[in-house]
Amino acid sequence: MTDESERAVRAAIEGELRLLDPEVRASPARVLELLDPEFTEIGASGRRWDAESILTVTSGGSVSPDSPVEVTGMAGVLLAPGVVHLTYFADNQGRRAWRSSVWRLTETGWRMYFHQGTLAD
């Protein structure tokens, strides 16, 4: 991986981890700083979300400060200049899912463009 690729992947990982942080999730303004205006998600539930609708979940305490999401195997790849794909496994209080997200570089920094979760056994 080149230095540029490593920096891009590191920035996307840092953004992903911030979005999983209970303090960040509790602040709609901080969440919106990390979501692309065209953000969409297909949740592990099968539901489709956009930036506005996801705020109801994140600000509603979906991640407890006492029991943060456990993340393993996070890895990323630069797909094109300014576009990173991340994958990882997450366990949120026993709800286990494979996660995948696409981050893109905007004028204001790296922002999540797309996210998908798939429940795991």
Side-chain angles (χ1 to χ4, degrees):
M1 205 178 327
T2 67
D3 286 346
E4 177 186 343
S5 295
E6 286 180 25
R7 281 192 301 275
V9 169
R10 189 170 36 249
I13 288 173
E14 288 170 5
E16 190 85 35
L17 293 174
R18 285 177 51 211
L19 278 172
L20 293 170
D21 182 311
E23 286 184 27
V24 172
R25 293 174 76 85
S27 168
R30 291 174 72 187
V31 170
L32 286 176
E33 288 174 0
L34 295 165
L35 297 182
D36 191 275
E38 297 178 29
F39 169 81
T40 59
E41 175 175 335
I42 300 170
S45 65
R47 183 174 173 185
R48 183 178 164 95
W49 304 85
D50 59 17
E52 185 177 318
S53 63
I54 205 72
L55 291 177
T56 60
V57 173
T58 58
S59 62
S62 60
V63 175
S64 166
D66 299 328
S67 183
V69 175
E70 294 178 32
V71 174
T72 56
M74 188 173 290
V77 63
L78 184 69
L79 296 177
V83 180
V84 170
H85 178 227
L86 297 180
T87 57
Y88 61 97
F89 189 78
D91 186 330
N92 185 6
Q93 299 178 21
R95 186 168 190 209
R96 301 161 25 102
W98 289 103
R99 301 280 175 181
S100 175
S101 59
V102 176
W103 287 76
R104 71 178 175 181
L105 185 58
T106 69
E107 292 176 358
T108 59
W110 286 93
R111 298 176 111 186
M112 184 186 282
Y113 175 77
F114 176 78
H115 185 80
Q116 181 167 356
T118 303
L119 291 178
D121 295 335

mmCIF file of all heavy atoms in Angstrom, residues 79-107:
data_model
loop_
_atom_site.group_PDB
_atom_site.id
_atom_site.type_symbol
_atom_site.label_atom_id
_atom_site.label_comp_id
_atom_site.label_asym_id
_atom_site.label_seq_id
_atom_site.Cartn_x
_atom_site.Cartn_y
_atom_site.Cartn_z
ATOM 1 N N LEU A 79 -10.197 2.307 -3.092
ATOM 2 C CA LEU A 79 -10.794 1.840 -4.341
ATOM 3 C C LEU A 79 -10.422 2.744 -5.516
ATOM 4 O O LEU A 79 -10.279 2.278 -6.640
ATOM 5 C CB LEU A 79 -12.318 1.787 -4.215
ATOM 6 C CG LEU A 79 -12.885 0.799 -3.206
ATOM 7 C CD1 LEU A 79 -14.399 0.916 -3.152
ATOM 8 C CD2 LEU A 79 -12.465 -0.620 -3.530
ATOM 9 N N ALA A 80 -10.322 4.030 -5.227
ATOM 10 C CA ALA A 80 -9.986 5.050 -6.219
ATOM 11 C C ALA A 80 -9.537 6.264 -5.420
ATOM 12 O O ALA A 80 -9.778 6.331 -4.203
ATOM 13 C CB ALA A 80 -11.207 5.384 -7.072
ATOM 14 N N PRO A 81 -8.911 7.236 -6.046
ATOM 15 C CA PRO A 81 -8.532 8.421 -5.276
ATOM 16 C C PRO A 81 -9.762 9.015 -4.575
ATOM 17 O O PRO A 81 -10.796 9.251 -5.199
ATOM 18 C CB PRO A 81 -7.988 9.375 -6.344
ATOM 19 C CG PRO A 81 -7.486 8.466 -7.422
ATOM 20 C CD PRO A 81 -8.461 7.318 -7.437
ATOM 21 N N GLY A 82 -9.659 9.147 -3.249
ATOM 22 C CA GLY A 82 -10.752 9.726 -2.476
ATOM 23 C C GLY A 82 -11.889 8.789 -2.145
ATOM 24 O O GLY A 82 -12.929 9.235 -1.665
ATOM 25 N N VAL A 83 -11.727 7.477 -2.353
ATOM 26 C CA VAL A 83 -12.788 6.507 -2.047
ATOM 27 C C VAL A 83 -12.167 5.296 -1.343
ATOM 28 O O VAL A 83 -11.305 4.620 -1.895
ATOM 29 C CB VAL A 83 -13.532 6.029 -3.313
ATOM 30 C CG1 VAL A 83 -14.623 5.024 -2.951
ATOM 31 C CG2 VAL A 83 -14.115 7.209 -4.077
ATOM 32 N N VAL A 84 -12.630 5.026 -0.110
ATOM 33 C CA VAL A 84 -12.121 3.908 0.693
ATOM 34 C C VAL A 84 -13.266 2.981 1.062
ATOM 35 O O VAL A 84 -14.350 3.435 1.436
ATOM 36 C CB VAL A 84 -11.433 4.425 1.980
ATOM 37 C CG1 VAL A 84 -11.110 3.285 2.935
ATOM 38 C CG2 VAL A 84 -10.175 5.208 1.642
ATOM 39 N N HIS A 85 -13.006 1.677 0.975
ATOM 40 C CA HIS A 85 -13.967 0.662 1.411
ATOM 41 C C HIS A 85 -13.428 0.001 2.673
ATOM 42 O O HIS A 85 -12.292 -0.483 2.686
ATOM 43 C CB HIS A 85 -14.154 -0.384 0.311
ATOM 44 C CG HIS A 85 -15.078 -1.483 0.683
ATOM 45 N ND1 HIS A 85 -14.780 -2.806 0.477
ATOM 46 C CD2 HIS A 85 -16.313 -1.470 1.258
ATOM 47 C CE1 HIS A 85 -15.781 -3.556 0.898
ATOM 48 N NE2 HIS A 85 -16.723 -2.770 1.378
ATOM 49 N N LEU A 86 -14.236 -0.015 3.733
ATOM 50 C CA LEU A 86 -13.875 -0.665 4.996
ATOM 51 C C LEU A 86 -14.764 -1.879 5.226
ATOM 52 O O LEU A 86 -15.950 -1.861 4.876
ATOM 53 C CB LEU A 86 -14.063 0.281 6.177
ATOM 54 C CG LEU A 86 -13.231 1.548 6.242
ATOM 55 C CD1 LEU A 86 -13.592 2.335 7.496
ATOM 56 C CD2 LEU A 86 -11.756 1.226 6.208
ATOM 57 N N THR A 87 -14.200 -2.895 5.864
ATOM 58 C CA THR A 87 -14.980 -4.040 6.328
ATOM 59 C C THR A 87 -14.509 -4.392 7.731
ATOM 60 O O THR A 87 -13.346 -4.192 8.078
ATOM 61 C CB THR A 87 -14.802 -5.277 5.414
ATOM 62 O OG1 THR A 87 -13.427 -5.600 5.339
ATOM 63 C CG2 THR A 87 -15.360 -5.024 4.020
ATOM 64 N N TYR A 88 -15.445 -4.911 8.540
ATOM 65 C CA TYR A 88 -15.102 -5.330 9.897
ATOM 66 C C TYR A 88 -16.251 -6.111 10.501
ATOM 67 O O TYR A 88 -17.347 -6.175 9.944
ATOM 68 C CB TYR A 88 -14.741 -4.128 10.780
ATOM 69 C CG TYR A 88 -15.846 -3.114 10.967
ATOM 70 C CD1 TYR A 88 -16.664 -3.124 12.092
ATOM 71 C CD2 TYR A 88 -16.057 -2.110 10.024
ATOM 72 C CE1 TYR A 88 -17.663 -2.184 12.269
ATOM 73 C CE2 TYR A 88 -17.051 -1.161 10.194
ATOM 74 C CZ TYR A 88 -17.854 -1.205 11.321
ATOM 75 O OH TYR A 88 -18.852 -0.267 11.488
ATOM 76 N N PHE A 89 -15.977 -6.699 11.652
ATOM 77 C CA PHE A 89 -16.975 -7.434 12.411
ATOM 78 C C PHE A 89 -17.293 -6.636 13.662
ATOM 79 O O PHE A 89 -16.379 -6.140 14.326
ATOM 80 C CB PHE A 89 -16.439 -8.821 12.792
ATOM 81 C CG PHE A 89 -17.473 -9.706 13.391
ATOM 82 C CD1 PHE A 89 -18.414 -10.343 12.604
ATOM 83 C CD2 PHE A 89 -17.516 -9.897 14.761
ATOM 84 C CE1 PHE A 89 -19.376 -11.168 13.158
ATOM 85 C CE2 PHE A 89 -18.477 -10.712 15.332
ATOM 86 C CZ PHE A 89 -19.410 -11.348 14.531
ATOM 87 N N ALA A 90 -18.573 -6.491 13.974
ATOM 88 C CA ALA A 90 -18.985 -5.710 15.142
ATOM 89 C C ALA A 90 -19.930 -6.529 16.022
ATOM 90 O O ALA A 90 -20.797 -7.242 15.526
ATOM 91 C CB ALA A 90 -19.678 -4.423 14.699
ATOM 92 N N ASP A 91 -19.721 -6.391 17.319
ATOM 93 C CA ASP A 91 -20.602 -7.024 18.298
ATOM 94 C C ASP A 91 -21.132 -5.919 19.209
ATOM 95 O O ASP A 91 -20.382 -5.287 19.948
ATOM 96 C CB ASP A 91 -19.829 -8.059 19.120
ATOM 97 C CG ASP A 91 -20.731 -8.849 20.063
ATOM 98 O OD1 ASP A 91 -21.753 -8.299 20.530
ATOM 99 O OD2 ASP A 91 -20.401 -10.006 20.342
ATOM 100 N N ASN A 92 -22.436 -5.657 19.097
ATOM 101 C CA ASN A 92 -23.084 -4.634 19.910
ATOM 102 C C ASN A 92 -24.003 -5.333 20.905
ATOM 103 O O ASN A 92 -25.147 -5.643 20.598
ATOM 104 C CB ASN A 92 -23.866 -3.656 19.020
ATOM 105 C CG ASN A 92 -24.462 -2.510 19.795
ATOM 106 O OD1 ASN A 92 -24.231 -2.344 20.987
ATOM 107 N ND2 ASN A 92 -25.261 -1.692 19.126
ATOM 108 N N GLN A 93 -23.469 -5.638 22.072
ATOM 109 C CA GLN A 93 -24.208 -6.299 23.148
ATOM 110 C C GLN A 93 -24.851 -7.594 22.665
ATOM 111 O O GLN A 93 -26.027 -7.861 22.912
ATOM 112 C CB GLN A 93 -25.247 -5.350 23.729
ATOM 113 C CG GLN A 93 -24.651 -4.109 24.336
ATOM 114 C CD GLN A 93 -25.694 -3.152 24.872
ATOM 115 O OE1 GLN A 93 -26.827 -3.525 25.151
ATOM 116 N NE2 GLN A 93 -25.301 -1.910 25.036
ATOM 117 N N GLY A 94 -24.086 -8.404 21.943
ATOM 118 C CA GLY A 94 -24.566 -9.688 21.471
ATOM 119 C C GLY A 94 -25.187 -9.669 20.087
ATOM 120 O O GLY A 94 -25.428 -10.727 19.498
ATOM 121 N N ARG A 95 -25.456 -8.492 19.566
ATOM 122 C CA ARG A 95 -25.951 -8.399 18.184
ATOM 123 C C ARG A 95 -24.722 -8.302 17.287
ATOM 124 O O ARG A 95 -24.065 -7.272 17.223
ATOM 125 C CB ARG A 95 -26.854 -7.192 17.994
ATOM 126 C CG ARG A 95 -27.454 -7.198 16.608
ATOM 127 C CD ARG A 95 -28.554 -6.203 16.467
ATOM 128 N NE ARG A 95 -29.223 -6.453 15.204
ATOM 129 C CZ ARG A 95 -29.820 -5.541 14.507
ATOM 130 N NH1 ARG A 95 -29.883 -4.307 14.950
ATOM 131 N NH2 ARG A 95 -30.394 -5.834 13.363
ATOM 132 N N ARG A 96 -24.445 -9.411 16.611
ATOM 133 C CA ARG A 96 -23.199 -9.525 15.855
ATOM 134 C C ARG A 96 -23.483 -9.347 14.366
ATOM 135 O O ARG A 96 -24.431 -9.930 13.841
ATOM 136 C CB ARG A 96 -22.567 -10.883 16.128
ATOM 137 C CG ARG A 96 -22.270 -11.087 17.614
ATOM 138 C CD ARG A 96 -22.060 -12.534 18.047
ATOM 139 N NE ARG A 96 -21.624 -13.450 17.033
ATOM 140 C CZ ARG A 96 -20.375 -13.893 16.888
ATOM 141 N NH1 ARG A 96 -19.433 -13.501 17.716
ATOM 142 N NH2 ARG A 96 -20.062 -14.739 15.933
ATOM 143 N N ALA A 97 -22.636 -8.534 13.711
ATOM 144 C CA ALA A 97 -22.855 -8.274 12.293
ATOM 145 C C ALA A 97 -21.542 -7.987 11.572
ATOM 146 O O ALA A 97 -20.617 -7.417 12.153
ATOM 147 C CB ALA A 97 -23.799 -7.084 12.118
ATOM 148 N N TRP A 98 -21.495 -8.403 10.327
ATOM 149 C CA TRP A 98 -20.428 -7.987 9.432
ATOM 150 C C TRP A 98 -20.816 -6.615 8.924
ATOM 151 O O TRP A 98 -21.977 -6.370 8.585
ATOM 152 C CB TRP A 98 -20.286 -8.967 8.262
ATOM 153 C CG TRP A 98 -19.709 -10.267 8.703
ATOM 154 C CD1 TRP A 98 -20.381 -11.435 8.910
ATOM 155 C CD2 TRP A 98 -18.344 -10.524 9.018
ATOM 156 N NE1 TRP A 98 -19.523 -12.415 9.338
ATOM 157 C CE2 TRP A 98 -18.249 -11.878 9.407
ATOM 158 C CE3 TRP A 98 -17.184 -9.754 9.015
ATOM 159 C CZ2 TRP A 98 -17.055 -12.460 9.781
ATOM 160 C CZ3 TRP A 98 -15.994 -10.343 9.384
ATOM 161 C CH2 TRP A 98 -15.931 -11.680 9.760
ATOM 162 N N ARG A 99 -19.869 -5.712 8.880
ATOM 163 C CA ARG A 99 -20.128 -4.329 8.469
ATOM 164 C C ARG A 99 -19.242 -3.961 7.291
ATOM 165 O O ARG A 99 -18.097 -4.405 7.188
ATOM 166 C CB ARG A 99 -19.851 -3.364 9.625
ATOM 167 C CG ARG A 99 -20.680 -3.624 10.874
ATOM 168 C CD ARG A 99 -22.042 -3.051 10.727
ATOM 169 N NE ARG A 99 -22.904 -3.381 11.848
ATOM 170 C CZ ARG A 99 -24.161 -2.991 11.914
ATOM 171 N NH1 ARG A 99 -24.693 -2.294 10.941
ATOM 172 N NH2 ARG A 99 -24.890 -3.326 12.938
ATOM 173 N N SER A 100 -19.773 -3.141 6.420
ATOM 174 C CA SER A 100 -19.055 -2.669 5.252
ATOM 175 C C SER A 100 -19.444 -1.210 5.031
ATOM 176 O O SER A 100 -20.633 -0.872 5.123
ATOM 177 C CB SER A 100 -19.473 -3.506 4.038
ATOM 178 O OG SER A 100 -18.899 -3.017 2.850
ATOM 179 N N SER A 101 -18.462 -0.365 4.778
ATOM 180 C CA SER A 101 -18.790 1.036 4.512
ATOM 181 C C SER A 101 -17.874 1.609 3.445
ATOM 182 O O SER A 101 -16.754 1.141 3.243
ATOM 183 C CB SER A 101 -18.704 1.877 5.797
ATOM 184 O OG SER A 101 -17.410 1.815 6.350
ATOM 185 N N VAL A 102 -18.401 2.603 2.770
ATOM 186 C CA VAL A 102 -17.647 3.332 1.758
ATOM 187 C C VAL A 102 -17.517 4.765 2.231
ATOM 188 O O VAL A 102 -18.513 5.413 2.579
ATOM 189 C CB VAL A 102 -18.348 3.276 0.379
ATOM 190 C CG1 VAL A 102 -17.603 4.125 -0.644
ATOM 191 C CG2 VAL A 102 -18.480 1.838 -0.096
ATOM 192 N N TRP A 103 -16.281 5.234 2.261
ATOM 193 C CA TRP A 103 -15.969 6.604 2.672
ATOM 194 C C TRP A 103 -15.446 7.368 1.466
ATOM 195 O O TRP A 103 -14.727 6.803 0.633
ATOM 196 C CB TRP A 103 -14.892 6.579 3.761
ATOM 197 C CG TRP A 103 -15.429 6.101 5.068
ATOM 198 C CD1 TRP A 103 -15.708 4.810 5.411
ATOM 199 C CD2 TRP A 103 -15.770 6.899 6.182
ATOM 200 N NE1 TRP A 103 -16.208 4.758 6.691
ATOM 201 C CE2 TRP A 103 -16.247 6.034 7.193
ATOM 202 C CE3 TRP A 103 -15.711 8.265 6.445
ATOM 203 C CZ2 TRP A 103 -16.670 6.492 8.430
ATOM 204 C CZ3 TRP A 103 -16.129 8.723 7.684
ATOM 205 C CH2 TRP A 103 -16.609 7.844 8.657
ATOM 206 N N ARG A 104 -15.847 8.641 1.375
ATOM 207 C CA ARG A 104 -15.293 9.450 0.295
ATOM 208 C C ARG A 104 -14.787 10.774 0.837
ATOM 209 O O ARG A 104 -15.325 11.319 1.804
ATOM 210 C CB ARG A 104 -16.268 9.622 -0.853
ATOM 211 C CG ARG A 104 -17.466 10.494 -0.622
ATOM 212 C CD ARG A 104 -18.273 10.569 -1.906
ATOM 213 N NE ARG A 104 -19.504 11.308 -1.719
ATOM 214 C CZ ARG A 104 -20.386 11.506 -2.665
ATOM 215 N NH1 ARG A 104 -20.206 10.997 -3.861
ATOM 216 N NH2 ARG A 104 -21.478 12.195 -2.426
ATOM 217 N N LEU A 105 -13.763 11.258 0.184
ATOM 218 C CA LEU A 105 -13.137 12.509 0.579
ATOM 219 C C LEU A 105 -13.932 13.663 -0.027
ATOM 220 O O LEU A 105 -14.170 13.696 -1.229
ATOM 221 C CB LEU A 105 -11.679 12.544 0.108
ATOM 222 C CG LEU A 105 -10.843 13.743 0.539
ATOM 223 C CD1 LEU A 105 -10.788 13.868 2.054
ATOM 224 C CD2 LEU A 105 -9.433 13.612 -0.043
ATOM 225 N N THR A 106 -14.354 14.587 0.838
ATOM 226 C CA THR A 106 -15.111 15.760 0.395
ATOM 227 C C THR A 106 -14.309 17.012 0.743
ATOM 228 O O THR A 106 -13.239 16.922 1.336
ATOM 229 C CB THR A 106 -16.478 15.825 1.110
ATOM 230 O OG1 THR A 106 -16.263 16.111 2.501
ATOM 231 C CG2 THR A 106 -17.251 14.517 0.954
ATOM 232 N N GLU A 107 -14.862 18.147 0.424
ATOM 233 C CA GLU A 107 -14.204 19.419 0.754
ATOM 234 C C GLU A 107 -14.021 19.587 2.255
ATOM 235 O O GLU A 107 -13.129 20.303 2.702
ATOM 236 C CB GLU A 107 -15.008 20.589 0.197
ATOM 237 C CG GLU A 107 -15.024 20.662 -1.307
ATOM 238 C CD GLU A 107 -15.908 21.777 -1.827
ATOM 239 O OE1 GLU A 107 -16.551 22.487 -1.015
ATOM 240 O OE2 GLU A 107 -15.940 21.945 -3.057
#
